[in-house]
Amino acid sequence: MVPVRLELKNFLSYGTEAPSLEFDHFDVACLSGGNGEGKSALLDAMTWAVWGEARKSSGRRKPDEELIRIGTRHMQVSFTFDLEDARYRVVRSFSRSETGKTTSSDLEFQLSDAAGAEYRPLTGATQRETQARIEDTLGLDYDTFINSAFLLQGRSDEFTQKRPSQRKEILTRILNLSRYEALEDRARDHWREAKERQQRAAAEVERLEQALEDVPDWETEREAVQADIEAQAETVADLRDTEKALAQERAALEATAREVDSIRESIAGLDDRIEEHAEEIEALTGRIEEAEALLEDRTAIAEAYDEHQALVEERDALEQMRERHRAVKHALDEKSSALQERRNDVERRLERLRAERAGIEESLADCRETLTQRAEVETHLRRAQAARQRVPERKRVRRRRDQLEQRKAEAREAIVGARQQLRGEIETLQAQIEEEAEALDQKETIEARIDALRSKRETREALDERMVEVEEKGTALSQAVQEQAGQLEALRNEREREAEELQRFRDADGDVCPTCGTELTDAHREEATATLQGHIDELDTAIESAQARLDEEKERRAKLRRTYRRLAEKREALDDVGEALATAQEQKRSLEETAEALAAHREKAERLGQRLTEGRYAEGARRRWQACKQRLAGVEVDADAFEALQNRAAQFDRYADRLHEIERAAARREELTQTLNERDEKIEQLRAALAEDRVAEDLRADMEDLREQMEALDFDPDRFQEIRERLQELDDVPDRHNALVNAQEHRSEWEEQRARVRTRMEEAEAEKEALEERLAECESALADKPDVIAEQEAVSERVEAEEDVLNDLQQRLGKLNAQLEQAAADREALEEAQEERQDAVADRQRYKHLRAAFGKHGIPSLIIEETLPDIEERANHILDRLTDGRMHVRLETLKEKKSGGTKETLEIIITDEHGAPRPYETYSGGESFRVNFALRVALAQLLAERSGVRVRTLVIDEGFGTQDEAGIERLVEAIQAIREDFAKILVITHLERLKRAFPVRIEVEKDPSVGSTFELVGA
């Protein structure tokens, strides 16, 4: 990772006007400035942007709240860096609400395109996901970074003061050995999978062996079932022939029965037809009689019809005249309504004008009242203008005092911050001391646990041996069972052959022996029969004995299987003993390291407590606070008088606006007077029109014309009502007239139709008589039907019963065939399961070895062992330059235990010019810084050269104040010597004599109003 650009806003002492820091202009630079000016804040900005971590108080999980500039609510840092030929940008921001009760944050991760003009987002769905992507891209976390490439202020001894186990963890992350943890997890998963495969395969082998035990019995039963099926099939065939003949006879009788039903339906239909014909004849006779009656009364009907037609014509003419009368009356009503609406409209306009006149009079009164305030307003305006001229001078004095107050507050905040930081370090040390002391109390428990786990490991090893022994016995016994089953099957086959020979001998009819071909006498027959029967009896005895032995072997095998399962369950409960034992031993080693670190932590906490008690911290901030206090005493500000002056000046605009309103009121008074006169003229005009009835004169003329039209229409309502009543009396005349015309036209046709219907009725009666004769013949033929049905059903029931028997036999045969087919497949599956079990056992052992190889005591430990000499060489090369060969560092990975033997560790041994090792705490501040510097640079070089992601940046923000002139020269020489190993080296200092050693400088200054800023010099 190589920095390219840093942009920050409202971060710590930097405000909104801070320039961008461009890293492309230098390879090695010095970041200089006074204490508290903002040098280290630039480094905090980089780590906060990438990891969200920076300096923070003790007990704080995240530093966001402490990093935002005082008095602001939003901060943002944008950091651009190059990594392996790619350019990335991280933008992190933090905001606080106006009340300060709620906060929010945002994080963006971007990748530059090939042209470098635009960035495409790599941001995840959540900030947690985005942070994970950033760390995966970089390949290291915050702790690893600050323990190697970043020598931060106050943390140069971060690596040296850690426990040996923590130092090994840092080396693990620097060497990117975390991938072996993933490999160990994968090996553990594969080991568990192989274990499950072994258990499944063992269970499958046992299941298949049990499934194949009954195969000989199934084969014998299948032959017997096949013979039974052949005999039962012949019985079913005979019954089916009988059933078929009875079914044919029954079908013929069923056809006759259906014919009887059809004849009865036909007779019923003929009865319905005869009845319909009779009803039709009756209806035609009625019509003919009604027609004759109408013909006799035709004269009276014609006269009534003529009268009805004349009245209808007169009624239609009167209806037309009535509609015209109604239209004229409707128009007259509409004109009358319009006239009234016109008059109402004029009255409403008159009322509206009167209301407007009243409003105008009120506005005139307001204008007169406003004009009376003119003199008072002008006086107030002159006073406000005078106050306005005095405010700027008072503001300059007030601003100067505020600046001094702010500087004083910043100085006090720096003092409080330094005190809190010191207290935080003490609290952290005390918490660590308490934690370490509490952890040491668990030592006896862990030792007891180790002893118990070792005992369980021995038990597990004994179980493994016992399981191997049982498995070998079980394999041999399974093979013996298979051999015994084969012998039993051979004996049964031989007995079957002997029984067939005996039966063939008994069935022989000739005089020649079917076995030896000699003459078959009675004595020879008895002798051969006795011999064969004796052999069969011997075979029965052997079969019984073999079956007993087979059952005994199977029982022994079942016992061994139960024993193996019990052992496997016990063994499975102890699977994690090895891993638990390693963990407990590691915990014990960690406690031993904790005991060694406890004394050093207690001594350091005592030194820091003494500094806090004596007040030896933030001395520059104390001096700035005292100076601000003295300058504030000479600046006096009367807050009440200044506030009163500001209030009076603020009223200038209000009184000026009020004066403008008064001038506008004078002009408006003239306009309102003219408008009032116009309204009076209009009111008088409308009032006169209403009084003299001069509204809507055109509508009045139209109404007179409509009244004359109504009088001209000669409409008689009484005559119209008389005609309507007479027409109601003659209402049936048109129907009677139509019936008369119809009777005259169709009387002859109805008489001919009645004759035809009588002929069809006679034909239907003859057809009915013939069907009744056929019905009698069929009913006679159906007398024997019940007996035939009963016999046929009895035979069908017997067929079903015999078929059920046959189906049962066939199902049994199918089941036996399926069982035997499955047995053949099971034999192949048994071989595959046995092979799978062997493969799983081999895989389980293989992945067990891989777990140990990838574990922390395996390959990672070996890599660290191989890397430590390189770190020693690098550190001592730098330390030789810094101490002129008087100090050396040695890293030891083994340490002798008081109880005997050795344990793994990572100790830092420092020797002086005499080669004698001395504790780290006995060296001076300058000497210990040189040791820390050498080790940390060596780690940074290792991080810059490692495979995968390379961090080619070194930042040094520590310790130069502890060095004399010669020490500083050696430090500069060491930095110049390692510059080829890093793309960027940044040295932070406030010492003038060190600044001169670097041609390129980033000079930081702090302005009280705009915050910190910097300038790149010499680039």
Side-chain angles (χ1 to χ4, degrees), residues 222 329 333 360 410 475 652 751 806 895 1018:
R222 180 174 65 176
K329 188 176 185 305
D333 293 339
I360 292 171
E410 290 176 355
T475 303
F652 176 82
E751 288 176 350
L806 179 61
K895 182 178 180 180

Side-chain angles (χ1 to χ4, degrees), residues 416-687:
V416 173
R419 182 169 64 248
Q420 289 178 346
Q421 183 176 0
L422 195 58
R423 286 176 178 173
E425 292 180 12
I426 294 173
E427 290 174 0
T428 302
L429 282 172
Q430 290 175 345
Q432 194 169 1
I433 290 169
E434 293 175 1
E435 181 181 350
E436 290 168 349
E438 184 178 353
L440 289 175
D441 295 337
Q442 302 176 0
K443 186 175 181 181
E444 294 181 0
T445 304
I446 292 176
E447 289 176 347
R449 186 182 178 196
I450 290 174
D451 294 338
L453 289 171
R454 284 174 177 164
S455 175
K456 289 183 178 180
R457 184 175 62 182
E458 294 174 357
T459 303
R460 186 185 65 181
E461 293 171 354
L463 287 172
D464 288 338
E465 295 176 359
R466 176 61 177 156
M467 287 174 67
V468 171
E469 179 183 351
V470 171
E471 188 172 2
E472 291 175 353
K473 288 182 179 180
T475 303
L477 195 56
S478 295
Q479 185 176 1
V481 168
Q482 292 178 356
E483 292 175 355
Q484 188 66 31
Q487 293 175 4
L488 180 61
E489 182 66 19
L491 289 172
R492 286 175 174 167
N493 291 336
E494 184 177 358
R495 185 197 181 285
E496 185 176 352
R497 289 194 299 272
E498 292 294 331
E500 290 176 354
E501 182 67 22
L502 177 60
Q503 186 63 36
R504 189 162 60 86
F505 191 84
R506 288 174 176 170
D507 295 341
D509 296 335
D511 296 333
V512 178
C513 177
T515 303
C516 60
T518 59
E519 182 180 1
L520 185 60
T521 63
D522 293 338
H524 183 59
R525 182 187 297 273
E526 291 178 359
E527 181 182 359
T529 301
T531 300
L532 290 172
Q533 186 61 48
H535 195 192
I536 289 173
D537 294 340
E538 291 176 358
L539 287 173
D540 287 340
T541 303
I543 288 171
E544 184 178 356
S545 176
Q547 184 65 50
R549 289 195 301 275
L550 179 61
D551 294 340
E552 183 180 352
E553 294 293 338
K554 286 183 178 180
E555 180 61 25
R556 290 174 57 198
R557 185 180 64 181
K559 289 181 179 179
L560 280 176
R561 286 174 175 169
R562 290 193 293 271
T563 301
Y564 187 86
R565 282 196 295 270
R566 287 195 300 271
L567 293 173
E569 291 174 357
K570 294 179 180 179
R571 173 63 176 77
E572 183 178 1
L574 299 174
D575 275 343
D576 297 331
V577 166
E579 186 175 352
L581 180 59
T583 301
Q585 291 173 340
E586 180 63 26
Q587 291 175 345
K588 182 180 178 182
R589 284 193 295 271
S590 178
L591 289 177
E592 292 172 352
E593 296 171 0
T594 300
E596 296 171 1
L598 181 59
H601 290 158
R602 284 174 173 165
E603 182 180 353
K604 185 175 181 180
E606 185 177 354
R607 291 199 307 271
L608 293 177
Q610 187 175 1
R611 282 181 58 194
L612 182 63
T613 303
E614 296 174 357
R616 288 187 286 107
Y617 56 87
E619 296 177 357
R622 292 174 183 270
R623 289 193 296 272
R624 290 197 303 275
W625 184 86
Q626 188 63 35
C628 290
K629 183 179 178 182
Q630 293 174 357
R631 294 174 66 183
L632 279 170
V635 180
E636 295 184 359
V637 176
D638 188 346
D640 295 336
F642 180 66
E643 183 178 0
L645 187 64
Q646 280 187 320
N647 292 336
R648 182 177 297 172
Q651 292 177 354
F652 176 82
D653 293 334
R654 183 168 68 87
Y655 286 120
D657 292 341
R658 183 59 178 162
L659 184 59
H660 289 316
E661 289 178 3
I662 292 171
E663 293 174 352
R664 286 196 299 269
R668 182 166 173 72
R669 181 178 60 180
E670 299 299 329
E671 295 175 1
L672 291 173
T673 302
Q674 183 178 355
T675 303
L676 183 63
N677 295 332
E678 293 173 356
R679 294 294 185 272
D680 288 340
E681 291 178 2
K682 289 183 180 180
I683 289 171
E684 181 59 29
Q685 291 173 0
L686 293 176
R687 188 190 60 75

